[in-house]
């Protein structure tokens, strides 16, 4: 019985981590989808073809204690448009956009498509 307990605890912890990761991913998709949908509605483009959506993140200042993340869209009628900008701490970026944060850590700049997250 003592040999089984550590495996059960490890399994439960794994399930919790998986559930939290899935929830964060769902929240991210929902948050971005709402921003894009609101922008499209505000510009009467809800029926326009959404061709691409991407996020760009860059350091703000030399120390990089803040990160500027911008969301861009390309629609059939308007072409490329920036629809939002957030100034985040590295910790907030990691929490909100873990995949984007991982790329940012490697490169110091990120430009990545997120169209699949708003579709």
């Amino acid at each position: 019985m003592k040999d089984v307990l550590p495996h059960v605890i490890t399994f439960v912890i794994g399930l919790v981590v998986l559930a939290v990761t899935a929830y964060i991913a769902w929240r991210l998709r929902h948050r971005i989808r709402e921003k894009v949908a609101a922008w499209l509605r505000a510009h009467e483009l809800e029926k326009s073809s959404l061709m691409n959506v991407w996020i760009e993140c860059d350091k703000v200042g030399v120390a990089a204690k803040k990160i500027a993340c911008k969301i861009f869209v390309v629609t059939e009628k308007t072409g490329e448009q920036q629809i939002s900008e957030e100034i985040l701490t590295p910790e907030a970026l990691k929490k909100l956009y873990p995949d984007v944060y991982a790329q940012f850590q490697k490169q110091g700049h990120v430009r990545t498509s997120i169209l699949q997250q708003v579709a």
Side-chain angles (χ1 to χ4, degrees):
M1 186 66 171
K2 289 182 181 179
D3 293 337
V4 174
L5 187 58
H7 295 293
V8 170
I9 292 171
T10 302
F11 179 74
V12 169
I13 290 171
L15 286 177
V16 169
V17 168
L18 182 62
V20 168
T21 302
Y23 173 73
I24 290 171
W26 174 83
R27 253 183 67 198
L28 168 64
R29 281 192 290 276
H30 181 70
R31 180 182 172 142
I32 292 172
R33 184 180 303 125
E34 286 303 312
K35 282 184 180 184
V36 172
W39 185 87
L40 290 170
R41 282 191 302 272
H43 292 85
E44 298 178 0
L45 295 170
E46 40 304 294
K47 295 187 182 180
S48 177
S49 294
L50 183 61
M51 299 167 72
N52 198 2
V53 180
W54 70 91
I55 188 167
E56 289 186 17
C57 296
D58 287 302
K59 297 175 187 176
V60 175
V62 180
K65 292 182 180 178
K66 299 286 183 180
I67 301 167
C69 291
K70 302 170 186 170
I71 296 177
F72 293 86
V73 298
V74 176
T75 68
E76 190 175 86
K77 292 183 180 178
T78 65
E80 179 181 316
Q81 298 283 319
Q82 178 181 329
I83 65 165
S84 74
E85 180 174 2
E86 292 181 272
I87 305 296
L88 303 169
T89 64
E91 296 79 21
L93 178 62
K94 184 177 182 180
K95 183 178 178 182
L96 291 172
Y97 310 111
D99 295 340
V100 173
Y101 176 78
Q103 291 179 29
F104 181 81
Q105 285 296 96
K106 291 178 187 174
Q107 303 166 356
H109 166 83
V110 175
R111 179 180 173 154
T112 188
S113 177
I114 54 174
L115 183 60
Q116 70 278 2
Q117 295 179 4
V118 297

